[in-house]
Amino acid sequence: MELEQLLRMRRHILRCWAVLVALLGLSVAEDFPWTKNNPGSFYYGTFPAGFLWGVGSSAYQTEGAWDKDGKGPSIWDVFTHRKGKVVRNETGDSACDGYYKVKDDIQLLKELKVNHYLLSISWPRIMPTGIKAEQLNEKGIQFYNDTINSLLENNITPIVSLYHWDLPQVLQEKYGGWQNISMINYFNDYANLCFEKFGDRAVAEKGYETGEHAPGLKLGSCGAYKAAHHIIKTHAKVWHSYNNTWRREQRGMVGISLTSGWGEPVDPHSQTDRDAAERYIQFHLGWFANPIYRGDYPEVMKNYVGKKSAQQGLGTSRLPTFSVQEKTYIKGTSDFLGIGHFTTRYVLQKNFPFLQVSSYHTDHDLAELVDPNWPAPGPKWLYSVPWGFRRLLNFIKTQYGNPLIYVTENGVSETLQCPQLCDEWRIQYLKGYINEILKALNDGVNVKGYTAWSLLDKFEWNKGFSERFGLYHIDFKNKNKPRYPKASVDYYKKIISANGFPNQREVENWHRKAMDTCSATHQHLAADSLITHMEMVTEIVLPTIFTLCILIILVPKQNLAGRSNCSFCSLTITNIKHSSFNSNITHIH
Ligand SMILES: *[C@@H]1O[C@H](CO)[C@@H](O)[C@H](O)[C@H]1NC(C)=O
Ligand SMILES: *[C@@H]1O[C@H](CO)[C@@H](O)[C@H](O)[C@H]1NC(C)=O
Ligand SMILES: *[C@@H]1O[C@H](CO)[C@@H](O)[C@H](O)[C@H]1NC(C)=O
Ligand SMILES: *[C@@H]1O[C@H](CO)[C@@H](O)[C@H](O)[C@H]1NC(C)=O
């Protein structure tokens, strides 16, 4: 009797605690435990039922058909056509010919048995000048409408990004692109058109990057801050448009997606290093996430940019400010947070010498370091550090009140020039990173979906075709652009089917099978490149061989629990992706 009472009391106390914690979570951000980095061993277990698995791509990187069917030029078309901007002067003019291969690519998605596909809409394909009042391109609208319908017919939820860096060239040339505040209205018109045309069935995301990419302007520090300022306001406006006009009937979600690396203090017991690491995260993720989740730029950004601006003799900070009304308008404008994540840095304090021309890259007074023992299968910037992902996800939980998270981009590239279908390093990368998401879920982080980046090898911005992120290999020299599965296709399929990592024996088995399959496929590919050569001369179209190879693969029964028939809407800003990793990197051992 007494014991029962005691237990009941304890349960009651626990419940009060839970309520209290929930209340606190709304108002006060917890402190992130900087000193508690415990990577631990591999964790066997499965994801909650309903977890969403997908792959992603983006318009400019895959579609090709850059000037077909009434599409207007984007800043990336113009940028890549200038010589010397991209490795080997390559362009996305035809890329993967995705514009003509929607049916083929949907077959690949079906093979993977993904729940969702993240694609982006090319703004100038549906509005050639970027301005709704000037011109609409019906053929472009039709193209995306058909793509979305085909995905849905195949039970794949389309997640549509409204902007993945391909701004209409006219807006850049005439008005200065994101430097100009009137982009807010132009983009809002475009977003509303997308909601109107596709929103009853699909969803939206958008991205922007300030850096060394198109339009290729050296805007300096003010430029980046100003563009970001306009993008944040644009995001908020589009969210409100959706909330006020479309949500009631469409019931979608509009979020923001941010790409950020993780910054780990070199010495977590040093306050200076912890502060530096926090600055790293705040200058990357917090720059956009803080206004949206907490109503303003991070304090540390305001302090540092303000201080540097004063040293330069400027009357006001180079970081713009939000008015009180704007803060209220912006705060809370995200139904979920999309996260793109690729790699990690160690961070420490570094005072930059006083510069007359200060910039985003020197404002935060820190140096980035990497451990050369980290695997780096592909390009120099992309080290595989899975535990950094769990840290980042936990940071988001503590800073932004445990928001709903979808991982929108995560993957690794290879820089090899000869086809390499046995991509064991990608298998290790995906296995490690997805496992850290599982650990983060156990930490209480609210992650609901994962998107592997990317479905296909594709045009990799200023790296051209020299970096390959695809689960599927593409022979770009063949004008048919055939797709071949790498070993990671087989492996990722297994993770999806099992909804995680059931046990060691099975997971090791997946690995062995994937490697067997890829070496078989590889032989086909080697034989095929000869055929490819003849094909180009004789113009005979041969069926591509990937179907054959996939058919040999055993497909375990799919877990249908994860299927969702409600698509969600998101608005994505892809912030500082590759370019931020190019500078200030030092090696430690
Ligand atoms: C790219 O174009 C520039 C200018 O025409 C030329 O000098 C350079 O050799 C080209 N690079 C390659 C790899 O073709
Ligand atoms: C888009 O697809 C939907 C569903 O099939 C259809 O009702 C609508 O008319 C299509 N719109 C365009 C512009 O093709
Ligand atoms: C900004 O765009 C508007 C058109 O919307 C244009 O009239 C104005 O000149 C542009 N401002 C700058 C600084 O380019
Ligand atoms: C979103 O829309 C709903 C329904 O129209 C409204 O009650 C709510 O206040 C809106 N939210 C914001 C933050 O404006």
Side-chain angles (χ1 to χ4, degrees), residues 287-300:
W287 187 6
F288 293 89
N290 222 73
I292 288 162
Y293 283 95
R294 302 174 70 167
D296 200 0
Y297 290 118
E299 283 305 312
V300 72

Side-chain angles (χ1 to χ4, degrees), residues 217-414:
L217 303 177
K218 293 258 186 294
L219 293 168
S221 47
C222 276
Y225 292 129
K226 193 164 151 192
H229 199 68
H230 291 155
I231 288 165
I232 293 164
K233 287 194 197 177
T234 306
H235 162 80
K237 177 145 187 168
V238 171
W239 186 90
H240 281 284
S241 283
Y242 190 81
N243 192 55
N244 295 336
T245 314
W246 305 100
R247 191 191 295 283
R248 198 163 306 137
E249 61 184 86
Q250 299 188 354
R251 295 166 192 276
M253 294 203 291
V254 175
I256 185 166
S257 175
L258 305 167
T259 297
S260 179
W262 173 249
E264 182 72 12
V266 171
D267 174 6
H269 297 287
S270 141
Q271 184 67 43
T272 324
D273 285 5
R274 286 206 300 271
D275 290 347
E278 173 149 13
R279 276 204 304 285
Y280 178 90
I281 303 296
Q282 296 294 10
F283 269 79
H284 286 82
L285 181 68
W287 187 6
F288 293 89
N290 222 73
I292 288 162
Y293 283 95
R294 302 174 70 167
D296 200 0
Y297 290 118
E299 283 305 312
V300 72
M301 258 189 109
K302 293 197 283 189
N303 292 342
Y304 272 72
V305 185
K307 187 177 73 186
K308 298 275 171 139
S309 304
Q311 283 171 2
Q312 283 172 281
L314 298 174
T316 55
S317 172
R318 284 178 283 107
L319 185 70
T321 52
F322 294 114
S323 71
V324 174
Q325 287 90 334
E326 285 170 341
K327 286 178 189 172
T328 318
Y329 184 75
I330 292 165
K331 189 176 171 185
T333 54
S334 202
D335 302 325
F336 67 87
L337 180 61
I339 281 294
H341 175 71
F342 294 89
T343 193
T344 282
R345 295 285 179 261
Y346 280 118
V347 180
L348 51 74
Q349 155 90 25
K350 175 184 174 186
N351 287 325
F352 281 89
F354 171 70
L355 297 170
Q356 206 53 49
V357 187
S358 200
S359 85
Y360 171 81
H361 286 288
T362 54
D363 278 343
H364 42 32
D365 273 355
L366 53 86
E368 299 173 28
L369 299 96
V370 293
D371 181 343
N373 292 321
W374 288 341
K380 285 260 183 301
W381 64 272
L382 212 171
Y383 289 82
S384 176
V385 194
W387 55 259
F389 202 6
R390 182 184 181 185
R391 303 279 282 161
L392 177 66
L393 291 169
N394 270 285
F395 183 86
I396 290 166
K397 172 178 167 242
T398 56
Q399 284 280 303
Y400 310 124
N402 203 12
L404 173 58
I405 297 174
Y406 287 93
V407 175
T408 46
E409 286 183 37
N410 175 241
V412 66
S413 60
E414 69 243 18

Side-chain angles (χ1 to χ4, degrees), residues 141-142 145 149 197 201:
I141 296 172
Q142 187 79 46
N145 207 46
N149 287 339
K197 299 287 182 189
R201 280 151 296 131

